[in-house]
Amino acid sequence: MVIGADGEQLGVMAPADALTLAEEEGLDLVEVAANSRPPVCRIMDYGKYKYEQKKKAGKPAHSATLKEIKLRPAPAAFRPSVVAIGSSTGGPQALFKVLGDLGKLDAPIFITQHMPPTFTRILAEHIARSTGLTAAEGQDGEVVQPGRLYVAPGGKHLTVETKGVQKVIRLDDGPPENFCKPAVDPMLRSLIKAYGGNKVLCAILTGMGSDGAKGAEQLADAGGVVLAQDEATSVVWGMPGATAQRGAAHQLLPVGEIGGALKRFAAGGGR
């Protein structure tokens, strides 16, 4: 069941149609009742909704002043072998922008976007159509190929392991992390182990909660580079805000600059 932005019940529709409708209106598709059959999703401006909820509760609408942001200096001679991106609320639109600006790379790209099953497959198809990149949900046991983009399927954590000279995708059906499944943190931990932290380039985009912040800190400590989306262009400055406030980010950028920054770092000239 899909509920429109005005509260009207739009009826049961295919996930692709619901996601497309939300994109056309420039809004978010938010799952509000996952346990019902069929699941209930609502098309809404989630950032505005959270802002209004905070105002009602008498809480500050923004969190940038909670802690001074200190950015890390980028490591010298950094040349990544893999790119990882984490996102949640507002993520699809941010991903289309970032990936469109990034373009094709030799390195594989892994994305964890908080979405239920089926919607992640549709997201991968939309990414492929809008950017021209080769994109699909990652499959368990799939050998990682250069230049391909892999989306974590809803309901499974996407991880990568080394098998001989190859990197292989593993889908983890373990418990949620940070209340999310798929979650960004297990993806980042696995990439650090499989590639080495100093070979991983990461971007944490708009999203509620703090998923990805711990993994980003571990990655930065291991010599990788972390970019975080700024508050002004985030629908919800949860995930990137937590990453920045944790001191894990090397750059804090508006969404319109992240794709270009990723491209420069991927080419070895991002400092």
Side-chain angles (χ1 to χ4, degrees):
M1 173 64 70
V2 176
I3 302 173
D6 58 359
E8 177 186 1
Q9 290 191 4
L10 303 180
V12 177
M13 62 178 65
D17 294 336
L19 188 57
T20 298
L21 184 59
E23 290 171 1
E24 288 176 347
E25 296 187 20
L27 299 175
D28 304 294
L29 186 66
V30 181
E31 193 172 35
V32 295
N35 294 327
S36 65
R37 292 293 177 269
V40 178
C41 294
R42 180 162 189 171
I43 296 171
M44 65 169 69
D45 182 336
Y46 196 76
K48 181 179 179 181
Y49 168 78
K50 292 297 292 182
Y51 176 83
E52 291 174 347
Q53 291 296 107
K54 286 182 178 181
K55 282 184 67 178
K56 289 179 181 179
K59 297 178 180 179
H62 301 287
S63 56
T65 58
L66 291 179
K67 182 179 179 181
E68 182 182 358
I69 304 298
K70 293 185 178 180
L71 299 178
R72 299 188 183 213
F78 175 73
R79 190 68 178 259
S81 298
V82 61
V83 176
I85 302 176
S87 55
S88 185
T89 308
Q93 292 295 331
L95 286 169
F96 298 147
K97 175 59 178 172
V98 169
L99 295 171
D101 292 342
L102 175 59
K104 295 183 179 180
L105 299 177
D106 292 332
I109 302 172
F110 295 94
I111 292 176
T112 291
Q113 159 72 37
H114 298 160
M115 272 186 167
T118 304
F119 285 96
T120 45
R121 175 178 59 80
I122 302 302
L123 174 65
E125 294 173 356
H126 281 220
I127 288 173
R129 284 199 299 271
S130 66
T131 66
L133 299 173
T134 302
E137 278 188 329
Q139 303 296 318
D140 190 61
E142 182 177 2
V143 176
V144 175
Q145 300 295 331
R148 289 184 63 92
L149 186 150
Y150 304 92
V151 175
K156 299 287 181 65
H157 301 303
L158 185 150
T159 64
V160 177
E161 67 177 19
T162 300
K163 191 173 183 180
V165 297
Q166 297 177 322
K167 308 301 182 188
V168 178
I169 292 175
R170 293 299 181 195
L171 300 182
D172 183 354
D173 198 23
E177 289 197 29
N178 308 307
F179 309 102
C180 301
K181 188 178 177 183
V184 180
D185 277 338
M187 177 182 72
L188 293 180
R189 289 197 304 268
S190 75
L191 293 176
I192 294 169
K193 184 175 180 180
Y195 288 90
N198 64 342
K199 291 295 183 180
V200 184
L201 172 61
C202 171
I204 303 296
L205 305 181
T206 175
M208 185 169 63
S210 62
D211 185 33
K214 290 181 181 179
E217 183 177 38
Q218 293 170 357
L219 174 59
D221 288 345
V225 167
V226 177
L227 311 182
Q229 186 173 346
D230 68 359
E231 183 175 13
T233 64
S234 294
V235 174
V236 179
W237 203 56
M239 290 165 55
T243 299
Q245 291 173 351
R246 202 176 181 93
H250 295 84
Q251 294 186 4
L252 187 63
L253 300 170
V255 68
E257 296 181 16
I258 292 176
L262 289 173
K263 182 184 292 188
R264 290 191 296 275
F265 274 111
R271 298 186 71 203

